[in-house]
Amino acid sequence: MDVIDCPKHGSIIYHPSILPRHRGASAINWTLIQGDKKAGFTIFWADDGLDTGPILLQRECDVGQNDTVDDLYNRFLFPEGVKAMVEAVHLIADGKAPRIPQPEEGATYEGIQKKENAEISWDQPAASLHNWIRGHDKVPGAWATIDGQVVTFYGSSLLDASVPTGQELAIKGASRPGLITKNGLIIFGNDGKMVLVRNLQFEDGKMIPASKYFSTDETTALELTEEEKKMAEDIKAIWKGILSHVAVIEDSTDFFKSGASSMHVVRMLEEIKQKYSGLQLQNEDVYIATKFADFIQTAVSKNTNNMTVNMPYQCFINGQFINADDGKTYDTINPADGSVIASVSSASLADVDKAVAAAKEAFENGEWRRMDARERGRLMYRLADLMEEHQEELATIESIDSGALYTLALKTHVGMSVQTFRYFAGWCDKIQGATIPINQARPNHNLTFTKKEPIGVCAIVIPWNYPLMMLAWKSAACLAAGNTLVLKPAQVTPLTSLKFAELSAKAGFPKGVINILPGSGGLVGQHLSEHPDVRKVGFTGSTPTGKQIMKSAATNLKKVSLELGGKSPLIIFSDCELDRAVKMGMGAVYFNKGENCIAAGRLFVEESIHDEFVSKVVEEIKKMKIGDPLDRSTDHGPQNHKAHLEKLLQYCEIGVKEGATLVYGGRQVHRPGFFMEPTVFTDVEDHMYIAQEESFGPVMVISKFKMGMDVDGVLQRANSTEYGLASGVFTKDISKALYISEKLEAGTVFINTYNKTDVAAPFGGFKQSGFGKDLGEEALHEYLRTKAITVEY
């Protein structure tokens, strides 16, 4: 291939935009500025106009709401561009390359890469402001005048939440002041909607987190651990390699004033990444912390929850993280503030087929099924150990992705997941059949014995309330039995599942045994349910979705286990220990923000203690701290996602309209994120909507029953629902408690306690709460098939 300094006729050129919509070096920037839903690239024949020659081929991709130029390049334009150039060369070699004339209509050559053209025009909707900022991201930077100087805005995202508290910042030309908040600068469109800006850069080149605008001189030095001191020395050596003319790298050494350029920023970060793969630093971190001491502080605290978190974001298929086949992604949102955590691959039907094929190959021809059972157990123990080693990182990811309190995520979400894998690892070499005496066919003898065999490829679909724990409850039993799996995490909480995939590879699991597909339940989950090569579906989620999965599974008569909705009754008698009943009753409702499948959906409280019970509950609610789930002192975090919060608010409105008494709460908390007040309803009648339907949120629904009312009357009310997942009773009368436990139509009954689950105790529901068991020995049987073998001798 010739090396040329100008195009020759017959040369081909790659251009990152769909022509003729935009042309010029800034075409992709302009695509974002215009708010286009599609981007892409063109390969065309060079002519005198450089980019006006005939089109050879084109490719396109979707543009996400918060995609940047870098996102589009990394996800699509670069990897697919390489493939397309190869294809174009082959087309030319084969004489099949087309020459499609470019129409002139619509072509643009806007010179937007000039700083003077990048000033923000404020009389626009929020989406247009966001598009303008992200379209100018990096070069040349969208700017506005603040306090008489040009300030450039970087790192914007649309913010879908209530207006947060913050300090007002006057911006020239803006009809409404911005707000400096703990998460950044909030600016407002003329439609009242918000944009969050992460970083600001001043005329002297200094960049700061927007949240620090009013406190740019405040510094809090972290005391370094021995491990962090070693990292600082390693980074100092990298700086010295770049700034070779600087005699000694000191705390005050400024990266750029010492002669470094933007090219050196990339080199420095890549060298750090090569040495510390989990340290996810960005270019702007260097611009923000230009002095060595400041940069080290950024490096050791560049994390969520004071740790470096490495979050995979691609599909995990056949032992590798890969982009979705069609390149599509979606944003996963931090429910604490509505900000974007990461852009995650959204699996397509083709990805489902790839993952199932990988799992089938691993099961039928790989080493997993033939592996010694104890070796399989050893790998599962190793995975449990790795999960424990990374428990703080997993708990942090779980907290920011699902809104779970960090302390709860550490103990329950992650802690029980580790226990579950260890429990089922111990079962691997204890899966046994039986010998069965049968009638003998004399003069010969017969021997019949059974074998417990794995089923094959299993599809596992999990919900968003306990992302990692629901994965563990199902996957551990599935793997212990010798199956391979394709797991679809909930669309809104994919991150710990993907981190789990990374740890499974590190533990040494063979390729194809574990596959993780983030994305749409309606697309991925449905295709898995119908797929002819999937032999078992394990699902936890809503009853309507469970019914759809059963229908889909009928295509090849898959084995199915379902853990579905609940409306668990909790009966509290006057002879209980009241303070304990109050404490446990609150936990039964508000544990994990009420996003708990076994939450007490309705409390039946005996009339003589009803008012005191309610009073004590409200008193305790008022003591609860609502806030950042990463704060160790927080008692109540945000609901998982915005749509769920809106559903809960509507649920409370229905309760009020039907005549129930709203004693406390029922409202959204006025702060960023998806926070809801813990809520209490009383005077709830059996026919009301909130007495029949699950809230799946922090809503306590209380009904009275009369003193001396016969136990069977309360039981009848408690059982008058189509759900039967869990239940509970508080009484000192053990005979009454055991009688009630026998009569309650639920898979789990708690007596004088609640939420007490254990890895060894089977868990599952009755009626429309589903069938099949998670946990305990019974869970293994959900992932095994029994083969009977008869020998005549």
Side-chain angles (χ1 to χ4, degrees), residues 172-279:
K172 183 180 178 180
S175 60
R176 182 174 178 178
L179 288 175
I180 297 295
T181 72
K182 67 175 185 178
N183 296 312
L185 168 64
I186 303 294
I187 57 176
F188 299 88
N190 60 13
D191 53 0
K193 295 182 179 180
M194 296 176 288
V195 177
L196 176 67
V197 178
R198 292 195 307 273
N199 299 315
L200 301 173
Q201 188 174 39
F202 299 100
E203 291 175 332
D204 63 0
K206 175 69 175 176
M207 184 182 286
I208 64 168
S211 60
K212 303 294 184 184
Y213 184 86
F214 290 114
S215 55
T216 54
D217 295 328
E218 295 181 11
T219 57
T220 302
L222 296 173
E223 184 175 347
L224 304 187
T225 65
E226 290 304 313
E227 184 178 348
E228 289 165 348
K229 288 177 182 177
K230 181 183 181 306
M231 182 178 75
E233 289 302 313
D234 290 338
I235 294 175
K236 181 177 285 189
I238 292 170
W239 276 46
K240 177 62 179 168
I242 295 171
L243 306 174
S244 56
H245 60 285
V246 177
V248 179
I249 304 296
E250 299 177 335
D251 285 352
S252 59
T253 301
D254 188 288
F255 193 67
F256 295 107
K257 290 180 180 178
S258 298
S261 65
S262 58
M263 180 180 68
H264 295 115
V265 171
V266 175
R267 173 185 162 183
M268 189 250 285
L269 294 183
E270 286 302 314
E271 286 191 48
I272 293 174
K273 190 185 298 182
Q274 190 173 20
K275 196 165 189 65
Y276 294 95
S277 59
L279 192 55

Side-chain angles (χ1 to χ4, degrees), residues 636-653:
H636 187 77
Q639 305 309 133
N640 187 273
H641 51 281
K642 184 183 179 186
H644 184 55
L645 172 62
E646 291 172 345
K647 175 188 169 186
L648 288 171
L649 296 173
Q650 185 180 26
Y651 184 90
C652 292
E653 289 176 8

Side-chain angles (χ1 to χ4, degrees), residues 384-696:
D385 290 344
L386 283 170
M387 292 168 70
E388 189 168 56
E389 287 175 26
H390 291 263
Q391 61 181 339
E392 294 181 351
E393 187 178 8
L394 286 165
T396 300
I397 297 171
E398 190 93 335
S399 187
I400 64 172
D401 204 24
S402 77
L405 298 183
Y406 174 78
T407 48
L408 177 64
L410 193 63
K411 178 180 182 294
T412 301
H413 291 229
V414 179
M416 195 173 188
S417 299
V418 173
Q419 291 177 28
T420 302
F421 267 90
R422 286 191 175 136
Y423 174 83
F424 283 106
W427 269 109
C428 286
D429 61 353
K430 301 170 187 68
I431 299 172
Q432 302 166 352
T435 57
I436 303 171
I438 64 170
N439 287 336
Q440 302 297 333
R442 296 183 185 279
N444 296 319
H445 296 276
N446 299 106
L447 171 65
T448 295
F449 62 94
T450 61
K451 289 182 66 178
K452 297 289 187 179
E453 296 183 341
I455 295 171
V457 178
C458 297
I460 293 174
V461 182
I462 58 173
W464 42 257
N465 57 329
Y466 295 104
L468 186 63
M469 195 172 77
M470 291 294 98
L471 175 152
W473 280 24
K474 287 179 163 43
S475 298
C478 173
L479 293 168
N483 300 287
T484 58
L485 67 89
V486 180
L487 181 137
K488 196 205 85 65
Q491 187 167 3
V492 291
T493 53
L495 296 180
T496 42
S497 294
L498 294 170
K499 185 67 179 179
F500 167 84
E502 178 186 278
L503 296 178
S504 73
K506 189 175 182 180
F509 276 69
K511 292 180 179 181
V513 173
I514 294 172
N515 304 273
I516 310 288
L517 298 178
S520 163
L523 183 75
V524 178
Q526 179 70 21
H527 193 40
L528 283 171
S529 301
E530 296 170 342
H531 203 290
D533 291 331
V534 171
R535 295 299 176 184
K536 160 71 197 276
V537 177
F539 171 75
T540 295
S542 71
T543 298
T545 304
K547 291 178 179 179
Q548 179 59 45
I549 284 176
M550 283 193 71
K551 291 178 183 177
S552 301
T555 55
N556 68 337
L557 295 179
K558 294 176 178 66
K559 190 174 183 179
V560 177
S561 57
L562 304 172
E563 193 249 285
L564 308 176
K567 189 65 177 174
S568 302
L570 176 55
I571 305 171
I572 302 174
F573 288 94
S574 59
D575 65 349
C576 69
E577 293 181 19
L578 185 58
D579 287 343
R580 179 175 176 81
V582 168
K583 179 182 177 181
M584 299 299 252
M586 290 184 68
V589 176
Y590 302 128
F591 187 80
N592 200 46
K593 312 111 59 180
E595 295 169 354
N596 187 21
C597 55
I598 58 173
R602 189 176 180 191
L603 279 64
F604 296 90
V605 181
E606 194 163 358
E607 190 174 45
S608 61
I609 61 168
H610 174 275
D611 292 350
E612 186 179 2
F613 179 89
V614 173
S615 176
K616 284 178 176 287
V617 166
V618 172
E619 183 182 343
E620 292 301 312
I621 288 175
K622 290 178 179 178
K623 298 176 185 176
M624 293 169 67
K625 178 181 176 182
I626 302 173
D628 183 355
L630 293 173
D631 185 334
R632 306 305 193 265
S633 64
T634 298
D635 299 302
H636 187 77
Q639 305 309 133
N640 187 273
H641 51 281
K642 184 183 179 186
H644 184 55
L645 172 62
E646 291 172 345
K647 175 188 169 186
L648 288 171
L649 296 173
Q650 185 180 26
Y651 184 90
C652 292
E653 289 176 8
I654 293 172
V656 171
K657 287 178 182 177
E658 286 192 328
T661 301
L662 179 60
V663 176
Y664 192 89
R667 297 170 299 183
Q668 182 175 358
V669 179
H670 293 295
R671 58 172 293 151
F674 313 133
F675 292 85
M676 180 177 178
E677 295 174 332
T679 299
V680 179
F681 276 102
T682 60
D683 302 318
V684 178
E685 302 295 334
D686 293 354
H687 63 85
M688 292 180 179
Y689 178 83
I690 63 173
Q692 295 291 322
E693 295 299 325
E694 181 180 29
S695 71
F696 213 64

